[in-house]
Amino acid sequence: QVQLVESGGGSVQSGGSLRLSCAASTHTYSRMGWFRQAPGKEREGVAAIDTDGPTVYAGFVMGRFTIARDGAKNILYLQMNSLKPEDTAMYYCAAARAAYGGGLNRDAYNYWGQGTQVTVSS
């Protein structure tokens, strides 16, 4: 069983930055990703990275967010710059045993963390 623990959320002003981290208990996964869910909205994919390197980003974060992983430490990161109020959401880390389907498709993931809140004020 893979356990995922997110950290790094918080409150920032518009234009600010945050770095989210996700510590995985093992590295038996082929893909990891970040998703977010705002109140009253569906959970949506933000970014994903395969263990062999390819990444994918949602259009609304392209150029502002960067996903990266430290394979040796089993930690996934999401560097978020130029944050906007519309980025306010609970952010979740996810892991998939197999890298098939779209990286931003939540149904492709097997394991989820509990989430970390990101709040961006204008």
Side-chain angles (χ1 to χ4, degrees):
Q1 183 73 18
V2 175
Q3 291 184 322
L4 305 172
V5 180
E6 303 97 334
S7 61
S11 296
V12 296
Q13 290 190 327
S14 182
S17 297
L18 284 173
R19 189 177 78 159
L20 305 183
S21 299
C22 172
S25 58
T26 73
H27 53 81
T28 56
Y29 54 81
S30 295
R31 173 181 290 159
M32 293 191 77
W34 288 100
F35 288 74
R36 70 185 188 184
Q37 188 167 17
K41 294 188 176 182
E42 295 286 320
R43 188 171 298 190
E44 59 185 358
V46 175
I49 184 168
D50 292 351
T51 52
D52 58 352
T55 59
V56 60
Y57 293 91
F60 54 78
V61 302
M62 195 77 71
R64 299 189 298 125
F65 293 8
T66 302
I67 190 170
R69 62 181 176 85
D70 183 328
K73 297 181 180 179
N74 297 333
I75 298 176
L76 180 72
Y77 300 100
L78 185 69
Q79 178 66 44
M80 304 187 295
N81 299 327
S82 302
L83 283 161
K84 305 174 182 180
E86 51 264 44
D87 293 319
T88 295
M90 185 72 78
Y91 282 71
Y92 297 90
C93 173
R97 291 191 295 266
Y100 66 89
L104 302 182
N105 178 1
R106 63 186 182 185
D107 294 334
Y109 290 83
N110 308 103
Y111 308 104
W112 293 86
Q114 294 300 306
T116 185
Q117 178 68 37
V118 171
T119 302
V120 184
S121 58
S122 57

